[in-house]
Amino acid sequence: MPVSTFPTAHTATAAAVPTIVVVGHGMVGQRFLEALADRGLTASAGTARVVVLCEEPRPAYDRVQLTSYFSGKTPEDLSLVEQGFMEQHGFELRIGDPAESLDREARTVTARSGETFRYDTLVLATGSYPFVPPVPGKDTEGCFVYRTIEDLLAIEEYAKTATTGAVVGGGLLGLEAAGALKGLGLDTHVVEFAPRLMPVQVDEGGGAALLRTIENMGLTVHTGVGTQEVTAGDDGSVNGMSLSDGSSLATDLVVFSAGVRPRDQLARDCGLAVGQRGGIIVDEECRTSDPAVFAIGECALASDGRVYGLVAPGYEMAQTAAEVIAGKEASFTGADLSTKLKLLGVDVASFGDAHGTSEGCLDVVYADSRSGVYKKLVIGQDGTLLGGVLVGDADQYGTLRPMTGTVLPVAPEQLVLPAGAGGPVTLGPSSLPDEAVICSCHNVTKGAICEHTTLPEVKKCTKAGTGCGSCVKVIGQLLPQSQDKGLCGCFSYNRSELYEIVRALEITSYAELLDSHGREEARGGEGCEVCKPTVGSIIASLAPTVGASGYVLDGEQAALQDTNDHFLANLQRNGSYSIVPRIPGGEITPEKLIVIGEVARDFGLYTKITGGQRIDLFGARVDQLPPIWARLVDAGFESGHAYGKSLRTVKSCVGQTWCRYGVQDSVKMAIDLELRYRGLRSPHKLKSAVSGCARECAEARGKDFGIIATAGGWNLYVGGNGGATPRHADLLAQDMSDAELVRLIDRFLMFYIRTADRLERTSTWLDRIEGGLEHVRDVVVHDSLGLCDELERLMADHVRGYRDEWAETINDPERLRRFVTFVNAPDAPDPSVKFVPERDQVKPDLDILAGPVLAIRTLEGTAS
Amino acid sequence: MTTQTMNGTMETAQDTGVIRLAAGDDWFAVCDRSLLTPGRGVAALLPDGRQVALFVDRAGRMYAIDNRDPFTGAYVLSRGLVGSEGGQPFVASPLLKQRFDLATGACLDDDEVSVPVFEVRAD
Ligand code: SRM
Ligand SMILES: Cc1cc2nc3c(=O)[nH]c(=O)nc-3n(C[C@H](O)[C@H](O)[C@H](O)COP(=O)(O)OP(=O)(O)OC[C@H]3O[C@@H](n4cnc5c(N)ncnc54)[C@H](O)[C@@H]3O)c2cc1C
Ligand code: SF4
Ligand code: FES
């Protein structure tokens, strides 16, 4: 039975609500507050008074993502506290007012402001402080630590006048700090006392692989040497370091990252038990030696004798303490120290007994210094997997870690060898237990799925995959694999292979491609709804280069397009269409706005501002599309390609011209880019945005290619995505001129179009292709494949060949013929397309379509 | 010149002529064959108001099924993409992509659903 120092929610009375004082509003402190709120222990609920003493000048933020400040995240972006959270729950947050002393007898905490708070329960969440080795000169101007936003602001400011930086410590955080210094343009050194980098996480071989990769990035690494002194120049600021091997290193700036120590001083001062090497001793309930005081997060020495320097165990402690304080049972007995990180773009993972300390264990190691890949599995005498280290390629982490403690189903060497050398055997979902739930919409287990052999069968018999559709990929992996990576039943090639075939052989007809390169059984047939639009898109992307018509509805190409492209508009649920004229960069004259308004009014269209800075007109019948477009084209509008797998919009913020913060003309750049890439057909839709400064009002990092202005030019970010699986774009290159930017985007887009799969956005493509962002950077920035000239030429061809599809259509009676509802009654409007009023506009009349409504087949492909 | 097959499909060697649909006891003339693009469909209106989706495949065979997509109620099947699987031609609904056998009207993705088929010929 847990001893509660605290009445449970329903027994508390408003008159005597107990007070919880939280010292430290860091990551774990905030999680603790959320856990209290979840359990109804709040002032608003009338069950507790909660006071939070926060030392830093801002509420809790994501320290784990601290470094992303240097890639454009603002301190506000990093905040962990949802707007209104404190007010909603009545938590009293005292920013910039740290606790200075505790009186356990009186149960009071005194803050720096002088105010004293009485507590019933005290929770210490004070985190750690960076350890600075006691070397002479450690306090010289130009020496920093790397823990808080304030530290980063100070480093950033100081780096403006520095050219060289050194990081003391080659562990996890040291490498992260080194990456940041490099990003600030400093010539960067890492000094590590141990003989290898990341001594805690990886073993010698892993450290060596990491070293090579990091050196290849242009950082200088000194291992096996200690820092003896920080030296100062005449002006009193840092000018170098002397090292234990007698050498010296000239540097303008030093960042100490030699580990962290628990902040247990408050606890020590008031006589709470602390560990020999620091850390406030707590039991499984996270209670200290005083039952009214809890300690959680990095300041605590957990009951398993460990101080955890990771956030996940801290979060578990926060949950445990909150649960116990609420009068329930909970315990924290220790956590897994497995880690998977992307350090400076290098995958590093370690799990279980990574160092092979168990008796009689064996290592199975694969190392390739050229590619910087190192993989080690630690295997027990009886064949059980005990742990491992993966550097450079950590894809198997997800499946290997859960298998720790079990005997591997295949020979371990098969798991570490690369393809072509007897491996790799990837342990996908096949290694999950039968009881694992695969489809959470319908609660279907792996066992139930594996009774079937095809996806349609699984869907029919178990319903798995018929809800949100997100499990379909895993189901596919569980079903018997045909080893067939082909696009569909008609082609054994994938999209990028077909792209190469079309390009090399200059094939301009789908039928020709199907009959010459299709699967034997598909040749001469009709093809299918998967490969037809895919090939249609490939031919359209390459049209000027292979000599096909650039007009997607010419000849046979017309038969390949999805219905949206076929009518150059977006099909709606009642069979009507929507129209989205292009509004480059979101900039539009009043005259043009008026035309859109008039057209919408005259044709009775529903009008809506889209999320892409333009205007969508809904509810046009097929036969109304040409007259509507005749008016729009006349007023200077072009197709917005809302229907195509092609460039959608390049959003802009108002930028330098008007905005007090702007540093470049983001509107002009957005318009230029939109006009350059309009009409470009691609594997999936392409979106872009340009922001005039790092405040990022255009949300460029949510786009396939996003541009953010800097004082020195433009930064290009790639691989961003909103939608179902959001992803922030990664920085590809910095501070480019207009011309450099455009050239790099040309290359990037053409490389994507060439190598991506069907319906693969840049985000998934970037995560899938071997080598990821680094590889793409090698190809498009450093021209490692010698492709750049060709990529640029392909784009130049596209830009030269662009014509507005709608202008071409309305000027050609032959092409206009398809825009009728009925082939035998061209003047008859579609009787099933009807509307009813709603909020002063119209909406589809679905009653006339009514009939049995049946389940949808799949999510994929439902979009234009 | 033409040979009528079961299930309302028929074959012809030329691409001129008038397409006709069986409507009651009559063959209702729809349009000239040349108005159809192989691999793509068009919608036709029958005198009684019914909507038919007409298709012609690469080999010149014609098919006619009801234009109403039973999954959404929208009259759009004529705007779907034509494909074939194991020699059997189908159309994929442009809305939610269920496939319908052009010869039988059966939905290939749901046993319980089908659409009516019409007899069609060209002369
Ligand atoms: C109209 C609009 C919603 C609105 O009223 O604001 C819209 C409407 C549609 N979106 Fe969207 N999306 C619209 C902005 C967005 C945005 C916001 C943005 O672009 O800034 C997103 C998230 C950003 C992103 O794409 O990364 C967005 C993410 C999606 C997705 C999910 C994509 C993903 O990668 O997860 C789909 C589905 C797909 O493409 O597979 C989708 C698909 C669709 C389709 C095409 C679905 C369909 O086939 O019917 C909708 C058709 C619109 C039509 O008929 O005209 N729409 N959609 C917006 C049009 C913007 C424009 O001017 O072109
Ligand atoms: C650059 C960096 C990268 C990291 N990367 C990872 C990672 O990839 N994965 C991972 O798991 N962990 C990572 N960590 C560690 C992670 O940030 C910590 O584990 C986590 O922040 C611990 O949370 P905490 O609340 O215990 O401590 P903190 O977040 O440090 O919060 C403690 C707070 O208490 C305040 N405080 C201290 N004393 C007082 C006082 N007397 N009165 C009032 N307030 C006080 C401090 O100012 C601080 O704000 C990283 C850390 C850094 C610095
Ligand atoms: S991103 Fe910067 S320049 Fe653009 S509107 Fe926002 S604050 Fe202004
Ligand atoms: S998880 Fe299977 S359909 Fe949603």
Side-chain angles (χ1 to χ4, degrees):
Chain A
M1 185 60 211
V3 198
S4 178
T5 53
F6 198 81
T8 48
H10 54 271
T11 59
T13 61
V17 299
T19 303
I20 306 174
V21 174
V22 181
V23 179
H25 190 227
M27 297 187 75
V28 174
Q30 169 63 17
R31 176 54 64 97
F32 174 74
L33 294 179
E34 288 163 15
L36 285 186
D38 288 344
R39 288 164 182 77
L41 288 176
T42 64
S44 315
T47 49
R49 175 184 184 206
V50 181
V51 178
V52 188
L53 297 176
C54 169
E55 176 184 57
E56 293 188 56
R58 65 188 81 245
Y61 52 88
D62 191 346
R63 206 177 301 287
V64 171
Q65 298 296 329
L66 191 62
T67 305
S68 66
Y69 168 77
F70 288 124
S71 51
K73 284 257 173 77
T74 62
E76 292 74 51
D77 296 335
L78 292 174
S79 173
L80 289 175
V81 187
E82 249 178 66
Q83 184 124 39
F85 173 83
M86 297 294 164
E87 296 77 6
Q88 189 194 336
H89 299 293
F91 293 147
E92 299 166 43
L93 176 66
R94 313 207 23 128
I95 291 176
D97 196 9
E100 296 219 303
S101 61
L102 303 181
D103 182 342
R104 290 200 287 125
E105 208 112 299
R107 292 209 178 173
T108 57
V109 182
T110 306
R112 180 176 297 163
S113 59
E115 210 163 325
T116 294
F117 301 91
R118 230 202 78 81
Y119 63 81
D120 296 280
T121 304
L122 177 67
V123 177
L124 300 173
T126 48
S128 312
Y129 64 90
F131 170 69
V132 177
V135 294
K138 68 180 171 58
D139 297 323
T140 314
E141 189 183 334
C143 286
F144 299 91
V145 293
Y146 199 85
R147 176 93 197 163
T148 65
I149 289 183
E150 272 54 46
D151 293 336
L152 264 58
L153 296 175
I155 292 173
E156 185 180 43
E157 187 57 34
Y158 199 83
K160 286 183 184 155
T161 58
T163 54
T164 307
V167 175
V168 177
L172 178 64
L173 295 186
L175 291 183
E176 209 168 301
L181 294 189
K182 176 110 206 334
L184 288 171
L186 302 188
D187 190 6
T188 306
H189 297 259
V190 178
V191 180
E192 167 58 51
F193 185 66
R196 62 169 183 274
L197 292 171
M198 287 186 62
V200 182
Q201 285 85 1
V202 308
D203 61 357
E204 208 181 310
L210 198 55
L211 174 66
R212 263 179 305 268
T213 315
I214 285 177
E215 284 183 337
N216 283 342
M217 292 175 188
L219 279 83
T220 314
V221 179
H222 313 256
T223 47
V225 287
T227 306
Q228 279 193 325
E229 188 182 350
V230 176
T231 53
D234 295 339
D235 63 351
S237 58
V238 171
N239 72 355
M241 299 194 317
S242 47
L243 305 178
S244 61
D245 61 357
S247 65
S248 62
L249 180 67
T251 185
D252 309 319
L253 183 156
V254 175
V255 176
F256 287 104
S257 181
V260 295
R261 299 284 184 271
R263 289 188 71 171
D264 54 13
Q265 198 58 43
L266 274 178
R268 280 175 196 272
D269 292 347
C270 67
L272 286 173
V274 294
Q276 237 170 15
R277 295 165 61 205
I280 308 166
I281 296 178
V282 296
D283 62 13
E284 292 185 359
E285 293 188 325
C286 296
R287 225 186 275 268
T288 65
S289 51
D290 176 343
V293 183
F294 291 75
I296 55 178
E298 286 196 339
C299 64
L301 175 61
S303 64
D304 63 346
R306 277 201 169 119
V307 173
Y308 287 92
L310 295 172
V311 73
Y315 280 175
E316 275 184 59
M317 290 186 227
Q319 302 281 5
T320 303
E323 191 77 357
V324 170
I325 292 168
K328 307 238 174 58
E329 264 176 84
S331 63
F332 175 83
T333 52
D336 187 3
L337 278 178
S338 303
T339 35
K340 180 174 180 223
L341 324 145
K342 228 184 170 77
L343 267 179
L344 301 162
V346 191
D347 277 332
V348 180
S350 73
F351 58 96
D353 180 9
H355 293 283
T357 53
S358 319
E359 214 185 303
C361 65
L362 295 166
D363 290 353
V364 178
V365 177
Y366 167 78
D368 175 0
S369 18
R370 230 175 352 114
S371 56
V373 171
Y374 173 87
K375 299 181 185 181
K376 178 179 86 170
L377 300 183
V378 180
I379 309 290
Q381 270 170 332
D382 57 351
T384 36
L385 176 65
L386 298 176
V389 176
L390 306 168
V391 176
D393 170 10
D395 282 355
Q396 289 149 305
Y397 175 76
T399 39
L400 286 174
R401 194 188 54 82
M403 299 190 84
T404 311
T406 66
V407 177
L408 290 172
V410 295
E413 54 275 17
Q414 283 190 287
L415 292 169
V416 294
L417 284 175
V425 180
T426 31
L427 288 177
S430 57
S431 40
L432 294 168
D434 271 358
E435 313 80 68
V437 172
I438 304 293
C439 174
S440 44
C441 287
H442 295 288
N443 199 16
V444 184
T445 61
K446 174 182 163 189
I449 287 168
C450 289
E451 284 168 23
H452 306 282
T453 51
T454 65
L455 183 59
E457 196 184 309
V458 170
K459 287 182 173 176
K460 205 174 284 176
C461 304
T462 69
K463 284 190 142 0
T466 59
C468 71
S470 64
C471 58
V472 170
K473 191 166 167 209
V474 180
I475 296 177
Q477 291 168 334
L478 285 173
L479 295 174
Q481 296 298 312
S482 56
Q483 290 305 316
D484 190 334
K485 299 283 169 282
L487 181 65
C488 58
C490 310
F491 286 98
S492 58
Y493 299 101
N494 64 22
R495 183 193 167 280
S496 62
E497 289 164 340
L498 289 174
Y499 178 98
E500 294 303 334
I501 292 168
V502 169
R503 192 180 57 87
L505 303 181
E506 305 201 340
I507 294 176
T508 57
S509 140
Y510 169 81
E512 186 189 333
L513 184 69
L514 180 66
D515 294 350
S516 60
H517 289 82
R519 296 179 197 266
E520 224 39 77
E521 64 276 19
R523 293 188 184 182
E526 296 300 311
C528 76
E529 80 282 18
V530 171
C531 58
K532 278 178 150 180
T534 305
V535 172
S537 158
I538 292 175
I539 292 175
S541 301
L542 285 168
T545 311
V546 299
S549 165
Y551 180 74
V552 295
L553 300 183
D554 259 353
E556 183 215 38
Q557 285 194 55
L560 306 180
Q561 311 300 334
D562 256 325
T563 193
N564 283 355
D565 291 80
H566 191 246
F567 289 102
L568 306 174
N570 290 44
L571 180 63
Q572 306 297 315
R573 58 191 314 154
N574 66 340
S576 67
Y577 284 85
S578 78
I579 294 155
V580 190
R582 188 168 293 292
I583 300 181
E587 184 182 271
I588 186 165
T589 60
E591 282 70 29
K592 281 188 151 180
L593 267 180
I594 289 166
V595 172
I596 290 187
E598 286 173 346
V599 168
R601 182 196 57 208
D602 296 352
F603 288 87
L605 306 174
Y606 166 75
T607 321
K608 180 179 182 302
I609 309 282
T610 71
Q613 291 188 338
R614 43 193 193 170
I615 300 172
D616 205 341
L617 309 171
F618 293 84
R621 291 188 319 261
V622 166
D623 55 291
Q624 291 177 314
L625 293 172
I628 290 173
W629 270 104
R631 294 216 0 219
L632 291 172
V633 168
D634 206 37
F637 286 105
E638 292 187 354
S639 166
H641 294 100
Y643 47 81
K645 297 288 177 241
S646 55
L647 181 80
R648 293 287 165 87
T649 63
V650 182
K651 273 171 73 168
S652 71
C653 76
V654 62
Q656 187 184 37
T657 320
W658 294 90
C659 175
R660 61 189 164 141
Y661 292 120
V663 289
Q664 304 286 348
D665 187 349
S666 48
V667 177
K668 175 170 187 299
M669 180 53 81
I671 295 173
D672 287 352
L673 294 176
E674 185 155 344
L675 295 180
R676 183 169 181 81
Y677 303 119
R678 64 188 160 179
L680 179 66
R681 292 305 205 271
S682 50
H684 207 312
K685 59 193 177 191
L686 287 169
K687 295 182 176 181
S688 177
V690 185
S691 280
C693 82
R695 282 169 192 75
E696 246 282 73
C697 298
E699 299 171 306
R701 290 196 63 204
K703 303 297 176 199
D704 296 273
F705 57 107
I707 295 99
I708 302 178
T710 67
W714 305 100
N715 285 358
L716 175 60
Y717 294 81
V718 295
N721 208 153
T725 316
R727 180 184 190 279
H728 260 147
D730 293 317
L731 182 62
L732 185 65
Q734 281 170 290
D735 290 329
M736 287 175 284
S737 67
D738 290 13
E740 285 167 341
L741 172 71
V742 168
R743 196 173 65 153
L744 188 57
I745 301 174
D746 282 2
R747 295 172 175 182
F748 173 78
L749 290 179
M750 275 301 170
F751 186 53
Y752 159 68
I753 288 173
R754 185 176 195 134
T755 53
D757 268 346
R758 152 182 184 270
L759 296 184
E760 188 175 45
R761 287 283 292 266
T762 54
S763 58
T764 20
W765 168 73
L766 206 56
D767 286 339
R768 173 188 58 87
I769 67 165
E770 217 169 297
L773 178 68
E774 282 313 313
H775 172 64
V776 171
R777 184 179 287 130
D778 278 347
V779 174
V780 301
V781 179
H782 308 304
D783 201 9
S784 62
L785 299 180
L787 266 182
C788 287
D789 282 348
E790 188 184 332
L791 298 175
E792 286 173 35
R793 201 173 55 243
L794 284 166
M795 188 62 86
D797 285 347
H798 163 75
V799 174
R800 206 173 317 114
Y802 168 82
R803 282 161 297 163
D804 173 34
E805 284 161 9
W806 265 111
E808 295 219 341
T809 306
I810 54 171
N811 290 324
D812 181 342
E814 204 34 46
R815 288 169 175 165
L816 282 179
R817 234 183 36 200
R818 81 176 85 245
F819 292 90
V820 294
T821 305
F822 302 112
V823 67
N824 60 334
D827 300 323
D830 186 340
S832 67
V833 173
K834 285 273 170 354
F835 301 91
V836 290
E838 168 146 292
R839 292 190 296 278
D840 299 333
Q841 297 201 60
V842 296
K843 69 171 183 184
D845 179 355
L846 295 178
D847 287 345
I848 52 170
L849 307 179
V853 178
L854 307 161
I856 62 171
R857 174 177 156 201
T858 151
L859 270 188
E860 190 204 38
T862 57
S864 73
Chain B
M1 185 70 245
T2 58
T3 42
Q4 175 110 26
T5 63
M6 308 262 299
N7 299 326
T9 64
M10 51 103 43
E11 304 202 20
T12 174
Q14 59 186 40
D15 67 352
T16 54
V18 174
I19 299 178
R20 291 176 192 278
L21 284 167
D25 297 336
D26 279 343
W27 284 97
F28 174 71
V30 177
C31 66
D32 201 87
R33 267 204 77 133
S34 61
L35 287 179
L36 270 71
T37 311
R40 200 89 235 181
V42 295
L45 191 60
L46 289 185
D48 61 4
R50 278 182 299 168
Q51 293 194 21
V52 181
L54 274 175
F55 301 89
V56 58
D57 68 13
R58 270 179 80 186
R61 280 181 295 259
M62 293 187 305
Y63 307 90
I65 61 172
D66 200 276
N67 194 31
R68 181 176 181 273
D69 171 12
F71 289 88
T72 58
Y75 290 74
V76 295
L77 288 185
S78 59
R79 302 181 213 158
L81 275 171
V82 173
S84 64
E85 197 179 72
Q88 282 294 88
F90 63 80
V91 62
S93 167
L95 275 170
L96 302 174
K97 312 283 166 168
Q98 294 87 354
R99 296 165 303 161
F100 297 87
D101 188 316
L102 287 179
T104 65
C107 177
L108 301 177
D109 299 293
D110 191 331
D111 286 351
E112 281 151 34
V113 181
S114 66
V115 294
V117 206
F118 295 78
E119 280 188 283
V120 58
R121 66 175 223 217
D123 48 37

